[in-house]
Amino acid sequence: MAEWNISFAGCGFRSIYYVGALSCILERVPQLVHGASKIGGASSGCLVAAALAVGIPIGELLNHPIFFLICEQVLYFTFSLILREMLPEDAHLRATGKLCVSLTRLSDGENVLVSEFTTREELIQVLMCSSFFPVYCGFVPPSYRGVLYMDGALSNNMPLFELRNTITMAPFSGESDICPKEGTFNFFEANYEQKLAEICHNGYMDALRFLKERGAHTHLHVPQH
């Protein structure tokens, strides 16, 4: 069977959408996640990708709401502490060759994709770089191997998209394989917890629709671009 990849777009607090979508897939066709050759992500999407790549149960992300709020400056600077708490000691070994993180180089705005991590600390640095949105997260960008980087979504919000058989996910309506069919909602129209629960539920239902449309709710089927 052909290889396939999964890619998560950056989306700020809406990354909880992926928790719902992945919960649905893992219930029905877990091999679609576990059998992926590469798992890519940009910005907040790379955090979900990293969790999958190193074997962190997706539901565990719900115990760390900072994953969905890193766009706020104060929370961003405690984010590294959460990563050190969650990532296993051999996270860099598990992630190497499987996880693909999108970064934007500060000096020229060019995109850099990273999938090799020599240490756990280096993996943390890469995730911090991809999640750093200027001004919202602060004014001094983080670095990776001595080079300053910022939010990966600014230069490539869907890494691996160009590769054949990449399953793309985004909580915004558009061309992604798993995404809302209609426009996104106004976050300020409801209380915070209610809105996050709604986003998570929508992710579950959109993933279920994706599986049914491709006949994957009963057997493994990989979409082709």
Side-chain angles (χ1 to χ4, degrees):
M1 178 173 291
E3 295 183 347
W4 67 93
N5 313 298
I6 302 175
S7 186
F8 300 92
C11 54
F13 66 85
R14 289 183 176 87
S15 56
I16 197 170
Y17 176 91
Y18 301 136
V19 174
L22 289 169
S23 295
C24 177
I25 295 173
L26 289 169
E27 283 178 6
R28 290 166 170 76
V29 195
Q31 182 60 16
L32 200 59
V33 172
H34 299 318
S37 298
K38 291 184 180 296
I39 303 175
S43 192
S44 58
C46 80
L47 308 178
V48 177
L52 290 180
V54 305
I56 297 174
I58 195 65
E60 190 173 324
L61 298 184
L62 296 174
N63 297 325
H64 298 275
I66 193 173
F67 269 82
F68 315 112
L69 291 171
I70 57 171
C71 59
E72 296 186 19
Q73 182 174 351
V74 174
L75 293 177
Y76 176 81
F77 288 107
T78 63
F79 178 49
S80 63
L81 300 178
I82 299 297
L83 287 176
R84 288 182 174 84
E85 175 186 336
M86 294 188 66
L87 294 175
E89 290 300 320
D90 64 345
H92 58 294
L93 300 177
R94 300 187 193 186
T96 291
K98 190 174 185 69
L99 175 65
C100 184
V101 181
S102 174
L103 307 180
T104 301
R105 193 161 52 215
L106 182 65
S107 61
D108 57 9
E110 288 296 310
N111 184 255
V112 175
L113 296 179
V114 181
S115 59
E116 302 291 327
F117 313 94
T118 57
T119 65
R120 178 171 174 268
E121 184 61 30
E122 188 170 89
L123 171 59
I124 291 173
Q125 290 174 2
V126 170
L127 297 176
M128 293 288 289
C129 285
S130 185
S131 304
F132 182 87
F133 197 88
V135 181
Y136 286 101
C137 294
F139 295 93
V140 181
S143 65
Y144 158 62
R145 295 186 177 178
V147 179
L148 298 177
Y149 291 95
M150 54 186 176
D151 199 303
L154 297 174
S155 56
N156 183 357
N157 199 31
M158 192 71 78
L160 306 176
F161 174 77
E162 70 284 357
L163 299 181
R164 187 183 182 193
N165 287 357
T166 294
I167 301 171
T168 55
M169 298 192 198
F172 311 105
S173 60
E175 300 300 320
S176 297
D177 293 307
I178 298 177
C179 69
K181 290 298 184 183
E182 300 177 353
T184 54
F185 33 69
N186 187 344
F187 180 71
F188 299 101
E189 290 179 352
N191 67 65
Y192 175 74
E193 292 184 2
Q194 177 183 341
K195 187 54 62 177
L196 287 184
E198 180 182 344
I199 295 172
C200 188
H201 175 73
N202 288 345
Y204 188 100
M205 298 307 296
D206 290 339
L208 183 58
R209 181 179 62 246
F210 165 79
L211 295 178
K212 289 182 175 180
E213 287 176 350
R214 287 157 178 77
H217 57 296
T218 56
H219 63 279
L220 183 61
H221 176 81
V222 181
Q224 299 184 10
H225 291 289

